[in-house]
Amino acid sequence: LIIILLLFFLNKKETFEFKTLSSACNNFTISGSIAYNSQRSSIYISDINYCGEKDNTLYKYIECTLYEKTNNNERLIDEVTYHDTPSITLDEFLTTTQFHIDDYEKTCQNYEDNTLFLEIKATDESDKVIYYQIPLSLQDNCHNE
């Protein structure tokens, strides 16, 4: 009986719904999604591209952080950093930057536009810092209750 129950739970397929994440900022294009069902939600962001003014600057330190903002509170979700030699361009850093957060929330929230955002801080070789805050737009709200 235990083996039958174990096989039942292992073979049970979970179905997920998806929301599309995109950049609400003209200087960046972003591909991402939130996958969710009634038990949990996960976030995946890839293909972050800078499409602003051409930037060939070499940066010795770059940090890209994903936040959620609710009621004036910012919650750090995940971050990717580069702190190495040789220095790299922002484009080079972004081509390898991805976020994959499993079990982000135990239930799907009704996210509003711009509650999730990316923050990029980059320090060049002369210690000048550039800063971008990129609000993320969400398509739809969760359907599971």
Side-chain angles (χ1 to χ4, degrees):
L1 180 63
I2 293 174
I3 294 173
I4 293 171
L5 287 174
L6 184 59
L7 287 173
F8 173 77
F9 284 111
L10 289 176
N11 288 326
K12 186 178 178 184
K13 294 184 179 184
E14 295 185 61
T15 55
F16 286 88
E17 293 192 48
F18 296 88
K19 284 187 192 188
T20 301
L21 291 168
S22 61
S23 171
C25 171
N26 291 337
N27 289 329
F28 291 87
T29 58
I30 296 172
S31 297
S33 62
I34 297 178
Y36 62 93
N37 63 17
S38 59
Q39 285 81 41
R40 64 180 184 197
S41 64
S42 298
I43 299 173
Y44 181 71
I45 298 174
S46 65
D47 298 326
I48 304 169
N49 296 297
Y50 175 69
C51 53
E53 190 174 314
K54 184 72 174 157
D55 183 0
N56 293 321
T57 306
L58 294 175
Y59 296 99
K60 61 182 180 180
Y61 180 79
I62 305 175
E63 176 182 280
C64 183
T65 309
L66 175 62
Y67 288 99
E68 179 182 15
K69 184 175 184 175
T70 54
N71 299 327
N72 292 327
N73 295 319
E74 292 179 357
R75 174 181 164 198
L76 186 146
I77 299 171
D78 197 11
E79 77 180 353
V80 177
T81 60
Y82 179 85
H83 187 14
D84 208 350
T85 319
S87 297
I88 61 173
T89 66
L90 182 59
D91 287 335
E92 290 170 325
F93 171 75
L94 293 175
T95 59
T96 61
T97 301
Q98 294 185 351
F99 293 94
H100 188 177
I101 301 97
D102 281 328
D103 291 331
Y104 170 60
E105 293 287 345
K106 297 299 178 196
T107 59
C108 187
Q109 304 176 28
N110 283 325
Y111 300 103
E112 295 179 17
D113 264 356
N114 305 329
T115 57
L116 295 174
F117 66 93
L118 291 175
E119 184 176 272
I120 298 174
K121 292 181 185 177
T123 305
D124 70 13
E125 294 172 334
S126 63
D127 292 327
K128 180 182 174 189
V129 177
I130 64 160
Y131 169 82
Y132 296 101
Q133 189 170 19
I134 309 151
L136 299 176
S137 295
L138 300 163
Q139 176 191 31
D140 300 327
N141 271 322
C142 300
H143 301 293
N144 291 342
E145 302 283 330

